Amino acid sequence: MTPKFDLLGRSKRFRWVNVTLLALMALAMIGLIVVAFQTIESERAEREQVERTNDILLELRNVSSAAVNAETGQRGYLITLDRRYLESYLIGREQIDPSLRRLRTAMEDEETTRRQNELVDQIEALATSKFAEMDESVRLLEDGRLIDARREMLSDQGQETMERLRRAIGEMERIEFQLLSDATEETARAEGRVLPLLGALMLLLIGSIVAGTRLVARTARAEVEAAQAVALGEARDRADLLARELNHRVKNLFAVVLAIIQLSGRDKPESKEVTDGIAERVRALLTAHEVSQGELDRPVASLRALVETTLAPYRSSKLTADIEGDEILLPAKQVTPLGLVLHELTTNAVKYGAWSSGGTIAVDWQRGGDTIKLVWQEQGDAIETEPERRGFGSMLMTSASRQFGGSIEREFLAEGVRVIIELPIEDQQNELPATG
């Protein structure tokens, strides 16, 4: 096989690998959006269950209250023959039928079990029977048959009916509380799936960008090795075309995902916090990607530009930041994960740190041998105790430090958080040339 045909074969293979990587990223993002929708749907279902449970519990209490009030009035009237006691009885008599109808209506809006339907029928039958028994005793008393009325009241049938009614209402209330508890647990499970999937998506995007850039670099080196001096320009043009194509597809994919996320949350205000958080992560990846175009091992991005680009959206006359350090270029394999770390620190400073209370941020770095030491210092945000819980941001920074081959240490001082980032640099000219 001639070098030319071998070169074409390699280009086609690399192109298919790029398409596969982009397809994996798209599937992961779609999965994230599906999980976000499931979380929103679970929260909506929980709110609806709360409303249904409240309505049903209210009507159950109304039924119980009507029966108790009516029984109290009936017994008071039969014992004292004072018609004033009939007022409580009549109020309960007026309340029972509307309460039973509203209970039926509330049950129609819920996916009921066979036992729930049986209990509703039982409650209605017992309430009807109890009020029929009370109506009979009051009627007998109105007819002057005092002894018959009191005999009716003292029978065990009325007491047993009342006890069965209380038990049925109590069981119905326990079922509704269990349904509400199940809905709450389902919402918690759905929310718990978002962060792991988001972390996996972040790692997949980082790995895909790094792998795609390596593929472009390998293609360029293979073309240089295989092509003759006459074909060198053509080989470089092909490698550049592949790089631009990959970059174009990645940017389009980011734009599509951001648009989907924003449109998804537009008509659902309750999902704004979730969609905004996802959008911030995706924008951080896009920012890191835009400043890291080029070969992995070739200096492609200024450390100063990366820091300033990350702080720029929030930096102002009130939110100040001091940036000091030599002009150093970093390879793409370090720029992307370092950009994620800087974005996480900036977001934390705005939400919880120095910039949330009008403080300042100082970022400085210096090169010592084959290592760059970057110090992020916040001033003006008093920290009383170190947080005990490690959130997703901490896991993201730990993972990113492994990506760029360095380390991250955080100190929670009285004046504010202090972060020390150390990343190795290869033995190459990483400083920008002096301008004359």
PDB file of all heavy atoms in Angstrom, residues 123 165-175:
ATOM      1  N   ILE A 123     -66.610   3.781  54.876  1.00  0.00           N
ATOM      2  CA  ILE A 123     -66.816   5.024  55.625  1.00  0.00           C
ATOM      3  C   ILE A 123     -68.180   5.625  55.311  1.00  0.00           C
ATOM      4  O   ILE A 123     -68.921   6.064  56.208  1.00  0.00           O
ATOM      5  CB  ILE A 123     -65.689   6.024  55.305  1.00  0.00           C
ATOM      6  CG1 ILE A 123     -64.366   5.548  55.931  1.00  0.00           C
ATOM      7  CG2 ILE A 123     -66.025   7.425  55.814  1.00  0.00           C
ATOM      8  CD1 ILE A 123     -63.152   6.344  55.473  1.00  0.00           C
ATOM      9  N   LEU A 165     -66.321   3.160  62.305  1.00  0.00           N
ATOM     10  CA  LEU A 165     -66.095   4.353  61.494  1.00  0.00           C
ATOM     11  C   LEU A 165     -64.734   4.975  61.819  1.00  0.00           C
ATOM     12  O   LEU A 165     -63.978   5.369  60.925  1.00  0.00           O
ATOM     13  CB  LEU A 165     -67.222   5.364  61.725  1.00  0.00           C
ATOM     14  CG  LEU A 165     -67.097   6.704  60.970  1.00  0.00           C
ATOM     15  CD1 LEU A 165     -67.097   6.468  59.463  1.00  0.00           C
ATOM     16  CD2 LEU A 165     -68.226   7.635  61.376  1.00  0.00           C
ATOM     17  N   ARG A 166     -64.405   5.045  63.121  1.00  0.00           N
ATOM     18  CA  ARG A 166     -63.105   5.605  63.508  1.00  0.00           C
ATOM     19  C   ARG A 166     -61.955   4.761  62.959  1.00  0.00           C
ATOM     20  O   ARG A 166     -60.955   5.290  62.492  1.00  0.00           O
ATOM     21  CB  ARG A 166     -63.018   5.686  65.036  1.00  0.00           C
ATOM     22  CG  ARG A 166     -63.910   6.744  65.674  1.00  0.00           C
ATOM     23  CD  ARG A 166     -63.507   6.971  67.118  1.00  0.00           C
ATOM     24  NE  ARG A 166     -64.351   7.963  67.767  1.00  0.00           N
ATOM     25  CZ  ARG A 166     -65.377   7.667  68.556  1.00  0.00           C
ATOM     26  NH1 ARG A 166     -65.695   6.382  68.776  1.00  0.00           N
ATOM     27  NH2 ARG A 166     -66.098   8.621  69.119  1.00  0.00           N
ATOM     28  N   ARG A 167     -62.100   3.435  63.048  1.00  0.00           N
ATOM     29  CA  ARG A 167     -61.031   2.569  62.539  1.00  0.00           C
ATOM     30  C   ARG A 167     -60.852   2.722  61.037  1.00  0.00           C
ATOM     31  O   ARG A 167     -59.725   2.750  60.523  1.00  0.00           O
ATOM     32  CB  ARG A 167     -61.338   1.116  62.896  1.00  0.00           C
ATOM     33  CG  ARG A 167     -61.164   0.786  64.373  1.00  0.00           C
ATOM     34  CD  ARG A 167     -61.076  -0.714  64.580  1.00  0.00           C
ATOM     35  NE  ARG A 167     -62.311  -1.389  64.171  1.00  0.00           N
ATOM     36  CZ  ARG A 167     -63.344  -1.620  64.966  1.00  0.00           C
ATOM     37  NH1 ARG A 167     -63.299  -1.220  66.245  1.00  0.00           N
ATOM     38  NH2 ARG A 167     -64.415  -2.248  64.526  1.00  0.00           N
ATOM     39  N   ALA A 168     -61.945   2.796  60.300  1.00  0.00           N
ATOM     40  CA  ALA A 168     -61.860   2.949  58.841  1.00  0.00           C
ATOM     41  C   ALA A 168     -61.191   4.274  58.477  1.00  0.00           C
ATOM     42  O   ALA A 168     -60.339   4.331  57.579  1.00  0.00           O
ATOM     43  CB  ALA A 168     -63.252   2.865  58.221  1.00  0.00           C
ATOM     44  N   ILE A 169     -61.573   5.339  59.170  1.00  0.00           N
ATOM     45  CA  ILE A 169     -60.953   6.645  58.912  1.00  0.00           C
ATOM     46  C   ILE A 169     -59.466   6.600  59.254  1.00  0.00           C
ATOM     47  O   ILE A 169     -58.612   7.118  58.515  1.00  0.00           O
ATOM     48  CB  ILE A 169     -61.672   7.744  59.703  1.00  0.00           C
ATOM     49  CG1 ILE A 169     -63.084   7.969  59.142  1.00  0.00           C
ATOM     50  CG2 ILE A 169     -60.873   9.052  59.657  1.00  0.00           C
ATOM     51  CD1 ILE A 169     -63.920   8.953  59.943  1.00  0.00           C
ATOM     52  N   GLY A 170     -59.105   5.978  60.369  1.00  0.00           N
ATOM     53  CA  GLY A 170     -57.703   5.881  60.757  1.00  0.00           C
ATOM     54  C   GLY A 170     -56.880   5.107  59.739  1.00  0.00           C
ATOM     55  O   GLY A 170     -55.751   5.505  59.393  1.00  0.00           O
ATOM     56  N   GLU A 171     -57.409   3.994  59.244  1.00  0.00           N
ATOM     57  CA  GLU A 171     -56.678   3.224  58.231  1.00  0.00           C
ATOM     58  C   GLU A 171     -56.522   4.020  56.943  1.00  0.00           C
ATOM     59  O   GLU A 171     -55.464   3.991  56.300  1.00  0.00           O
ATOM     60  CB  GLU A 171     -57.410   1.905  57.960  1.00  0.00           C
ATOM     61  CG  GLU A 171     -56.661   1.009  56.974  1.00  0.00           C
ATOM     62  CD  GLU A 171     -57.370  -0.323  56.769  1.00  0.00           C
ATOM     63  OE1 GLU A 171     -58.354  -0.617  57.486  1.00  0.00           O
ATOM     64  OE2 GLU A 171     -56.924  -1.076  55.875  1.00  0.00           O
ATOM     65  N   MET A 172     -57.569   4.747  56.561  1.00  0.00           N
ATOM     66  CA  MET A 172     -57.493   5.577  55.356  1.00  0.00           C
ATOM     67  C   MET A 172     -56.421   6.653  55.500  1.00  0.00           C
ATOM     68  O   MET A 172     -55.654   6.927  54.559  1.00  0.00           O
ATOM     69  CB  MET A 172     -58.862   6.219  55.105  1.00  0.00           C
ATOM     70  CG  MET A 172     -58.970   6.890  53.745  1.00  0.00           C
ATOM     71  SD  MET A 172     -59.005   5.685  52.420  1.00  0.00           S
ATOM     72  CE  MET A 172     -59.185   6.775  51.026  1.00  0.00           C
ATOM     73  N   GLU A 173     -56.319   7.256  56.659  1.00  0.00           N
ATOM     74  CA  GLU A 173     -55.289   8.281  56.892  1.00  0.00           C
ATOM     75  C   GLU A 173     -53.891   7.678  56.802  1.00  0.00           C
ATOM     76  O   GLU A 173     -52.978   8.273  56.232  1.00  0.00           O
ATOM     77  CB  GLU A 173     -55.502   8.920  58.268  1.00  0.00           C
ATOM     78  CG  GLU A 173     -56.723   9.825  58.343  1.00  0.00           C
ATOM     79  CD  GLU A 173     -56.949  10.367  59.743  1.00  0.00           C
ATOM     80  OE1 GLU A 173     -56.384   9.790  60.705  1.00  0.00           O
ATOM     81  OE2 GLU A 173     -57.686  11.367  59.877  1.00  0.00           O
ATOM     82  N   ARG A 174     -53.694   6.471  57.346  1.00  0.00           N
ATOM     83  CA  ARG A 174     -52.371   5.827  57.275  1.00  0.00           C
ATOM     84  C   ARG A 174     -51.984   5.523  55.837  1.00  0.00           C
ATOM     85  O   ARG A 174     -50.816   5.682  55.451  1.00  0.00           O
ATOM     86  CB  ARG A 174     -52.385   4.542  58.112  1.00  0.00           C
ATOM     87  CG  ARG A 174     -52.408   4.795  59.619  1.00  0.00           C
ATOM     88  CD  ARG A 174     -52.121   3.517  60.387  1.00  0.00           C
ATOM     89  NE  ARG A 174     -53.178   2.520  60.208  1.00  0.00           N
ATOM     90  CZ  ARG A 174     -54.267   2.440  60.953  1.00  0.00           C
ATOM     91  NH1 ARG A 174     -54.479   3.320  61.933  1.00  0.00           N
ATOM     92  NH2 ARG A 174     -55.164   1.491  60.746  1.00  0.00           N
ATOM     93  N   ILE A 175     -52.933   5.103  55.026  1.00  0.00           N
ATOM     94  CA  ILE A 175     -52.645   4.822  53.618  1.00  0.00           C
ATOM     95  C   ILE A 175     -52.207   6.099  52.898  1.00  0.00           C
ATOM     96  O   ILE A 175     -51.247   6.112  52.118  1.00  0.00           O
ATOM     97  CB  ILE A 175     -53.871   4.203  52.922  1.00  0.00           C
ATOM     98  CG1 ILE A 175     -54.124   2.794  53.473  1.00  0.00           C
ATOM     99  CG2 ILE A 175     -53.671   4.158  51.408  1.00  0.00           C
ATOM    100  CD1 ILE A 175     -55.376   2.136  52.940  1.00  0.00           C
TER     101      ILE A 175
END
